[in-house]
Amino acid sequence: MHEVSLMEQTLHIAIENARQHGSNKIDRLKMRLGEMSGVVPEALQFAFDALKEGTIAAEAILEIETVPVICYCHRCQTSFHPAHLFYECPDCGELSRDTQSGREIELTSLELSEQ
Ligand SMILES: [Zn+2]
């Protein structure tokens, strides 16, 4: 589990960003987490609640958007959402090794209080 260190970094980036914009209060953070990112949203939320104490994000809300795994089948030239752990194309049955999304871990937006 690396949610705590991930959240430490994210919070650090968010706080730096807020300071650069002349704000000393963060209201909301939005993150995107891929299904295959290996990050557990609940654990990330828990880490956030613990780490935000005493920072300018102490009252902030963390919103986590889960990004589904999307694979690409080169034979059919289509993208699909795999139904299970094996990335099997629903049309031709070929196993895809080409994942287009599902691994991302991103801080996508920040809402800051104007001061
Ligand atoms: Zn296919």
Side-chain angles (χ1 to χ4, degrees):
M1 288 302 129
H2 58 296
E3 280 81 0
V4 172
S5 59
L6 174 64
M7 200 62 240
E8 271 172 354
Q9 291 171 34
T10 305
L11 211 49
H12 179 75
I13 293 166
I15 290 168
E16 284 298 303
N17 212 284
R19 293 217 167 106
Q20 280 167 16
H21 287 87
S23 172
N24 59 14
K25 186 165 175 286
I26 299 173
D27 291 330
R28 191 180 299 265
L29 292 87
K30 289 187 186 173
M31 292 183 74
R32 279 160 58 88
L33 282 186
E35 277 180 345
M36 288 190 356
S37 64
V39 178
V40 180
E42 292 76 15
L44 195 62
Q45 190 77 53
F46 187 80
F48 177 70
D49 288 339
L51 293 167
K52 71 179 185 178
E53 293 298 324
T55 74
I56 63 169
E59 292 168 38
I61 293 163
L62 174 65
E63 273 181 30
I64 298 171
E65 181 196 346
T66 307
V67 182
V69 176
I70 300 293
C71 295
Y72 185 76
C73 177
H74 287 275
R75 191 186 283 176
C76 305
Q77 301 194 338
T78 53
S79 300
F80 63 94
H81 179 252
H84 44 75
L85 220 56
F86 301 103
Y87 298 153
E88 202 177 21
C89 173
D91 293 325
C92 70
E94 182 118 315
L95 290 180
S96 172
R97 284 178 196 192
D98 193 352
T99 49
Q100 297 180 315
S101 71
R103 294 179 195 270
E104 44 277 269
I105 302 174
E106 304 169 337
L107 176 64
T108 50
S109 83
L110 277 180
E111 281 176 30
L112 308 173
S113 281
E114 297 295 330
Q115 293 290 319

